[in-house]
Amino acid sequence: MNKTNFMSKKVYTLPIRPFLETRGGWDVSMSNDADPVFKFSWQNTPVVRPDGSKSWSLKPTDFNVFDIREALFSVKDAAQALAFFQAYGPWQINEHLGTDPTTITFSHLARQRDFYQDALLSREVWSIKKASTNEQMRTLLQDWYLWQPLPMEMTFHQPPTVIVRCKDIQDAMRASFFLDRLDGFPWRRCAREDCGKVFKLESKRAKLFCDTDCAHLQSVRSYNERKRAKASAGKSNSGPPQTGRTTRKESK
Ligand SMILES: [Zn+2]
């Protein structure tokens, strides 16, 4: 590495720990609308200590941002979204350890989920430089949000670690995206049609499936398909035509 005069004389290699820190103790409600609205309220209820005294200070949450992303990517419907919010709290909070979160609809959450999956798969660093259409303007704003510097803190504790504090799920998603693109590995979508999970390609070997279960299931399916194709080909060569396809052929 070429070091400038501004850099420290020592090169440090430090682990990065990105986590979501909110006050915890969130109550989530879901409306009955066609596109459900999720509302959050902070439960300012005291914690009663064993000796009977009360404490209002809830322990802040400490969730790994990659776990949060994994959980969001597996959300398929409103009920799962509710469980997701109950586990991790609001999508967006006004300030760090704030108690004034914004509401969010299910469709908005689904769009964010898809946006981050696509971003991991294909978003370039500053994909466009100038915007002349609305579409390009949107991309430019998204780029600005995604690639803005990620604030990190060095705190004095052993072993030395760099921490990335995220105030809400939105921040956590951005941090997970930023850190995952920083290491330079490409992302792929699982080739099993009914899976479609995105995964990081960390080895040089081309990998089509997200895990061994998907690879196994797909190979069983392909084998069965080949077997069926072979069987039906054998059937049409011998005996009277019975399948729809051969009947159509006959009626011509
Ligand atoms: Zn898969």
Side-chain angles (χ1 to χ4, degrees), residues 30 34-36 38 68-85 105-111 113-114 117 189-190 192-198 210 214:
M30 180 172 84
D35 184 12
F38 297 92
I68 297 172
R69 187 181 64 200
E70 197 68 17
L72 175 59
F73 282 178
S74 62
V75 167
K76 299 273 187 305
D77 55 38
Q80 289 175 354
L82 179 64
F84 170 73
F85 287 132
T105 59
F106 175 70
S107 62
H108 184 94
L109 182 74
R111 275 200 302 280
R113 174 200 62 202
D114 297 347
Q117 289 189 346
R189 197 180 280 280
C190 179
R192 203 190 102 202
E193 237 172 61
D194 44 348
C195 174
K197 227 165 117 176
V198 293
C210 68
C214 274

Side-chain angles (χ1 to χ4, degrees), residues 235-251:
K235 226 181 251 167
S236 57
N237 286 342
S238 64
Q242 274 165 351
T243 66
R245 220 172 98 218
T246 40
T247 316
R248 263 209 309 280
K249 222 185 237 170
E250 268 206 326
S251 66

